[in-house]
Amino acid sequence: MKVIQLWDKAIRIYHWSQLLLLVGLWFSAEQGYLVLHQLFAYSLAALLISRILWGFVGSETARFSHFLQSPLQLVQMWNKAKHGIGHRGLSGYMSLTLMLLLALQFISGLMTTDDVMTEGPLYSAVSSDWSSFASWFHHNNFNLLLALIAVHVVAALVHGFKKDGVLGAMLHGKLQTEVQQPKVKSTGWYLLLVLVFAGIFALWQGVSLYQQW
């Protein structure tokens, strides 16, 4: 048994920032702080897009090719999926599903309006029917996200109860295992991606948000 670096800082930064921003998005929506809600949304979108790209160019355990298996492979290699490191088996599909739903949540939000003061930047580019659907989806998809996050939390608590080190690894990144050390990329590249996309959103909507503030 040896200690390896299971999760790089990029994955952990994304994971915990996502959690905090989702709480902020829920609170700002409930309180009607719509400018703050949009700031949180663009921040999460920058982190999410960077995480998706990191799934192709990042550390070994962050890559989709590492943790996504075909349904047939999932059945044929069930034991390996359960005992491999990182997001393996069904947990890999859960991670991908959460990312896709977050992306759809962001896109649908761009097309919605509160019918009083705030319109999403793409609201005028779509029909009223499509905007109504986007508003309906934006509301109900968030409830679906909450349900899946609850499942995710329960799974994390199960790992914590089993004391297999998986829960702690999301805090400090390390895991005691017999598996060889996976390749780890510099977190600086992930942070650079986040800054690039945050800058793009700022150039696109920064003036509008400032005027609404």
Side-chain angles (χ1 to χ4, degrees), residues 3-211:
V3 176
I4 64 168
Q5 185 74 33
L6 174 61
W7 301 118
D8 60 21
K9 290 181 181 178
I11 292 298
R12 287 177 284 147
I13 288 171
Y14 170 74
H15 183 273
W16 297 112
S17 297
Q18 172 188 247
L19 174 62
L20 292 174
L21 286 168
L22 281 171
V23 172
L25 283 162
W26 168 80
F27 177 78
S28 57
E30 288 293 313
Q31 299 299 317
Y33 302 148
L34 298 182
V35 175
L36 190 60
H37 187 77
Q38 292 176 79
L39 285 172
F40 287 151
Y42 289 125
S43 299
L44 181 53
L47 286 161
L48 174 62
I49 296 171
S50 300
R51 171 63 184 95
I52 292 172
L53 291 177
W54 199 246
F56 295 99
V57 302
S59 302
E60 184 176 345
T61 53
R63 297 194 177 199
F64 299 124
S65 59
H66 174 80
F67 63 78
L68 288 181
Q69 300 166 303
S70 71
L72 180 60
Q73 288 174 318
L74 189 61
V75 173
Q76 292 176 338
M77 303 174 66
W78 177 245
N79 288 330
K80 184 176 179 180
K82 286 195 293 183
H83 299 296
I85 61 170
H87 288 308
R88 305 303 300 271
L90 293 177
S91 65
Y93 282 101
M94 172 65 85
S95 297
L96 181 63
T97 299
L98 287 172
M99 287 185 228
L100 290 175
L101 290 179
L102 282 173
L104 291 173
Q105 185 73 1
F106 175 69
I107 293 170
S108 62
L110 298 176
M111 305 175 191
T112 62
T113 178
D114 65 348
D115 294 322
V116 180
M117 296 176 60
T118 305
E119 293 180 352
L122 299 183
Y123 173 74
S124 60
V126 299
S127 67
S128 59
D129 288 342
W130 187 251
S131 177
S132 296
F133 171 76
S135 298
W136 173 88
F137 179 87
H138 194 71
H139 173 75
N140 290 281
N141 185 58
F142 190 74
N143 292 332
L144 177 58
L145 276 168
L146 290 178
L148 291 179
I149 290 170
V151 173
H152 181 70
V153 170
V154 170
L157 292 175
V158 170
H159 280 293
F161 180 76
K162 291 165 61 178
K163 297 181 180 179
D164 55 13
V166 172
L167 184 58
M170 193 49 73
L171 293 171
H172 49 66
K174 300 183 184 300
L175 181 69
Q176 190 173 29
T177 179
E178 297 178 351
V179 178
Q180 291 294 320
Q181 171 65 53
K183 295 179 181 179
V184 178
K185 293 287 186 71
S186 171
T187 303
W189 291 111
Y190 174 75
L191 295 177
L192 179 60
L193 286 171
V194 174
L195 288 175
V196 168
F197 287 109
I200 291 172
F201 288 131
L203 289 173
W204 182 37
Q205 288 298 307
V207 173
S208 175
L209 290 176
Y210 178 77
Q211 291 174 343

